[in-house]
Amino acid sequence: MAPQPKLLKFLNVLSVLLVAVGYYLSIFYAPTEKVMGNVQKVFYFHVATAWVGMLGFILAAAFAVFYLKSKDMKWDSYGLAAVEISLVFFFITIILGSIWARPAWGTWWTWEPRLTTAAILELIYLAYLLLRQGIEDPEQRARFGAVYTLLGGLSVPLTLVSIRLFRTIHPVVVGGGGSEKMGMTDTMVFVMLYSIVAFSVVFVNLYWHRIRLGQYTEKIEQLKLRINQ
Amino acid sequence: MNNKEKLNNPKSDYWKSVFAITWKDLSSELRSRELLSSMLVFSLLVIVIYYFTLELDIKTRSAITAGALWVTFSFSGTLGLNRSMAIEKDRGCLDGLLLAPVDRSVIYFGKALSNLAFMLIVEIIVIPAYAMMYNINLFIPGFLFVTLLGSIGYIAVGTLLSAMSIQTRTRDVLLPILLFPLLIPVLIAAVKASNGFLLSLTWTEIMPWLNILFVYDVIFISVSFMVFDSIVEE
């Protein structure tokens, strides 16, 4: 087993530090929101994890297209890594959102567009993993996985649009405007952007680890094949 | 048409092969009737179960009809899709089709057309049955049009995914799990648009949902056309 590259080791330490500082900033540095109180602090990590989930989702769809074009197995393992990380982060986003929604909206769960879309996305990811589990041939697994990710990537925006045609109560954070926009002070914006950067680093770190893991899994599969022969 | 003309006009051959596959499915179904009969009996059972589980009294009925019908169609649809692909796979027919000197997408369109035909036949029987049993008027052209658009979207994705799921270890169990999360836009739009027609809302309220259905159908038919190759590759 090859040792971790220096940059990766550095990223390990950096991600822990960045998240720790982000924790400090959101709890102690950012001002307490007037209406919602302390629970609003969950928002910084909520937005950041949602961003990372989104990033993984877009990467997975892009890698699916790359795979189908080049049939290079490396895109498959990149895609799988992106899906797995995105799955975890969207789950965290939904949990954090629920914690926030309970006092803010008075309910753990509402059928709000982004919330519902995130939940459906999780289901698509789970279906994707189940699909992969049912196929033994790695090359076929990669092809089917790529096709399904691609279909998911196309249907999710449509899902969002169609649920959005119902009325929404989710605050629009980016590119919103109008009465729903949250009133954020400069410090709040700073902490939010900081958490987004911090979690992006965590994403890169995890992604790197996951790809290494994928390479080892592949190696083990090959060794097993050799033993069987 | 002689052979030379055929060579110069490959388009007519393309659709001829598509219809040949569709016709093969329809005629074998005409003889066995195993697929349609199970879809139909299942749909009618579900409709009867609705009466008791949802207590469809006269008030709830009008609001819930479109949703109830679409749930029925989605579930019975997976029965049909699974069966239609399993026949190809189990009897080695798929390998034969793949050997045929035609474009692979011909197989997709052929299967999709026959699946659509099965789904529409079921709908043609289930909708009047529902209308009769629950005493509600469903013979509204707009409503039927929405049902057609929704079925096209359903079959476009369903045919592709059933070709995929049938090649996995878990087979038929997997299809609904793969299919339903991708179908959400179709289901939302179809139910909303159908409700619009049933409650005779204005066009401006119905139009956005029809647009979503159109867009979904176009996107997923074209994508399936592009990726079907990589699903049946041997």
Side-chain angles (χ1 to χ4, degrees):
Chain A
M1 211 165 136
Q4 295 184 6
K6 268 197 186 130
L7 184 61
L8 182 58
K9 278 183 186 161
F10 171 69
L11 274 177
N12 292 344
V13 180
L14 186 68
S15 340
V16 173
L17 281 178
L18 281 175
V19 172
V21 172
Y23 190 75
Y24 173 82
L25 284 179
S26 57
I27 301 285
F28 299 105
Y29 178 67
T32 308
E33 220 265 346
K34 213 164 47 181
V35 189
M36 285 177 272
N38 280 329
V39 76
Q40 186 265 342
K41 303 209 178 266
V42 109
F43 152 87
Y44 302 110
F45 279 25
H46 174 70
V47 172
T49 48
W51 151 251
V52 171
M54 217 34 227
L55 194 66
F57 170 68
I58 293 168
L59 282 179
F63 291 152
V65 176
F66 294 162
Y67 176 79
L68 288 175
K69 284 205 94 168
S70 68
K71 305 274 151 149
D72 185 343
M73 284 306 272
K74 99 177 165 217
W75 296 121
D76 177 54
S77 67
Y78 289 5
L80 175 64
V83 165
E84 279 186 6
I85 296 175
S86 184
L87 175 79
V88 172
F89 275 92
F90 266 124
F91 188 68
I92 297 174
T93 309
I94 292 174
I95 298 291
L96 290 179
S98 283
I99 293 172
W100 176 81
R102 178 71 187 141
W105 294 339
T107 168
W108 293 109
W109 181 264
T110 69
W111 293 96
E112 189 279 331
R114 262 160 291 179
L115 206 57
T116 314
T117 309
I120 291 167
L121 196 57
E122 293 277 291
L123 290 173
I124 292 181
Y125 282 157
L126 291 176
Y128 168 84
L129 294 177
L130 281 174
L131 172 69
R132 291 185 70 100
Q133 228 173 41
I135 308 170
E136 263 133 62
D137 176 21
E139 195 263 337
Q140 190 187 35
R141 189 166 57 211
R143 263 191 289 125
F144 285 16
V147 168
Y148 194 68
T149 325
L150 186 62
L151 292 178
L154 288 168
S155 97
V156 165
L158 274 174
T159 307
L160 183 64
V161 169
S162 41
I163 310 176
R164 230 191 195 160
L165 281 174
F166 295 125
R167 236 155 41 84
T168 172
I169 55 168
H170 192 292
V172 176
V173 181
V174 185
S179 59
E180 274 185 321
K181 200 173 167 82
M182 297 170 89
M184 287 202 292
T185 64
D186 289 348
T187 355
M188 284 172 157
V189 173
F190 166 73
V191 177
M192 182 183 89
L193 292 178
Y194 172 87
S195 332
I196 288 177
V197 172
F199 272 90
S200 301
V201 174
V202 174
F203 175 79
V204 173
N205 185 236
L206 283 176
Y207 198 71
W208 196 336
H209 278 294
R210 183 60 188 80
I211 284 172
R212 278 167 57 87
L213 182 66
Q215 285 162 350
Y216 289 130
T217 323
E218 212 168 288
K219 214 177 256 172
I220 289 173
E221 261 179 18
Q222 278 167 1
L223 288 175
K224 267 187 194 161
L225 271 179
R226 212 184 293 166
I227 293 170
N228 287 339
Q229 269 162 11
Chain B
M1 204 190 280
N2 64 38
N3 279 336
K4 204 173 179 192
E5 269 173 52
K6 255 188 204 168
L7 279 177
N8 294 334
N9 190 5
K11 244 186 226 159
S12 72
D13 257 19
Y14 187 91
W15 286 106
K16 227 185 203 169
S17 332
V18 169
F19 292 134
I21 292 176
T22 310
W23 181 243
K24 161 194 84 67
D25 275 9
L26 291 180
S27 61
S28 81
E29 180 55 29
L30 205 66
R31 279 164 212 157
S32 68
R33 292 195 200 89
E34 52 187 16
L35 194 151
L36 271 176
S37 53
S38 52
M39 278 172 87
L40 264 175
V41 174
F42 177 81
S43 308
L44 294 174
L45 272 172
V46 171
I47 286 179
V48 172
I49 288 171
Y50 278 143
Y51 180 76
F52 299 107
T53 49
L54 299 180
E55 294 188 38
L56 285 179
D57 54 54
I58 207 102
K59 254 190 208 158
T60 21
R61 228 170 265 177
S62 54
I64 219 174
T65 293
L69 280 173
W70 267 102
V71 172
T72 314
F73 296 152
S74 325
F75 287 146
S76 72
T78 56
L79 282 186
L81 286 171
N82 265 329
R83 189 76 205 130
S84 141
M85 252 336 152
I87 293 170
E88 304 287 352
K89 189 79 185 162
D90 294 347
R91 298 176 197 167
C93 186
L94 192 61
D95 298 327
L97 284 178
L98 290 176
L99 283 175
V102 288
D103 196 84
R104 292 279 161 84
S105 59
V106 164
I107 304 172
Y108 169 75
F109 282 119
K111 289 304 285 183
L113 277 180
S114 58
N115 285 336
L116 183 65
F118 296 143
M119 185 129 179
L120 292 180
I121 291 171
V122 169
E123 286 166 355
I124 285 169
I125 298 172
V126 167
I127 290 177
Y130 187 97
M132 200 184 72
M133 286 159 111
Y134 290 107
N135 195 18
I136 189 168
N137 181 21
L138 295 176
F139 297 97
I140 303 159
F143 173 82
L144 299 176
F145 179 63
V146 169
T147 311
L148 176 68
L149 275 186
S151 309
I152 292 175
Y154 181 97
I155 291 298
V157 190
T159 306
L160 184 73
L161 290 179
S162 68
M164 210 149 93
S165 68
I166 210 70
Q167 296 181 58
T168 66
R169 211 178 330 139
T170 31
R171 291 186 55 146
D172 4 16
V173 187
L174 201 57
L175 179 64
I177 297 171
L178 293 176
L179 182 57
F180 290 160
L182 300 185
L183 275 182
I184 306 268
V186 176
L187 294 179
I188 296 175
V191 168
K192 278 276 162 184
S194 314
N195 263 339
F197 282 113
L198 289 177
L199 306 172
S200 44
L201 300 180
T202 56
W203 268 103
T204 43
E205 281 168 284
I206 299 174
M207 218 39 215
W209 303 112
L210 285 182
N211 283 340
I212 289 184
L213 278 177
F214 269 122
V215 169
Y216 189 97
D217 288 2
V218 170
I219 290 180
F220 279 91
I221 290 174
S222 23
V223 170
S224 306
F225 170 70
M226 285 188 274
V227 299
F228 190 73
D229 249 7
S230 30
I231 287 193
V232 289
E233 207 172 77
E234 288 302 320

